[in-house]
Amino acid sequence: MMANNLQRYEDGTPSVMRKATVYTSLHFYRKSDVLVQLTKTFCERFLPKYGDRTVD
């Protein structure tokens, strides 16, 4: 019987889904996070804080 091979939750309920993935460990997320940080730093350094809609 395959039900014996299933992983189980803490309450004993069998899990038919794959193991949950932590999104912060994904390659794409880490690369996009670097781009967000670079963009934020660029805006803070080179664009005026007020009067420029590009900063929004």
Side-chain angles (χ1 to χ4, degrees), residues 15 33 50 52:
S15 170
D33 190 43
Y50 299 105
D52 191 353

Side-chain angles (χ1 to χ4, degrees), residues 6-56:
L6 293 176
Q7 293 182 351
R8 298 191 176 270
Y9 293 108
E10 293 174 1
D11 65 356
T13 307
S15 170
V16 294
M17 303 296 284
R18 280 193 265 167
K19 182 180 170 187
T21 303
V22 180
Y23 71 93
T24 56
S25 66
L26 295 174
H27 179 75
F28 182 79
Y29 176 82
R30 289 186 281 145
K31 296 296 181 182
S32 62
D33 190 43
V34 170
L35 287 174
V36 168
Q37 292 174 19
L38 286 171
T39 303
K40 182 179 176 188
T41 302
F42 175 84
C43 289
E44 289 173 351
R45 187 176 293 175
F46 296 110
L47 296 177
K49 291 188 187 275
Y50 299 105
D52 191 353
R53 290 181 14 181
T54 308
V55 176
D56 295 339

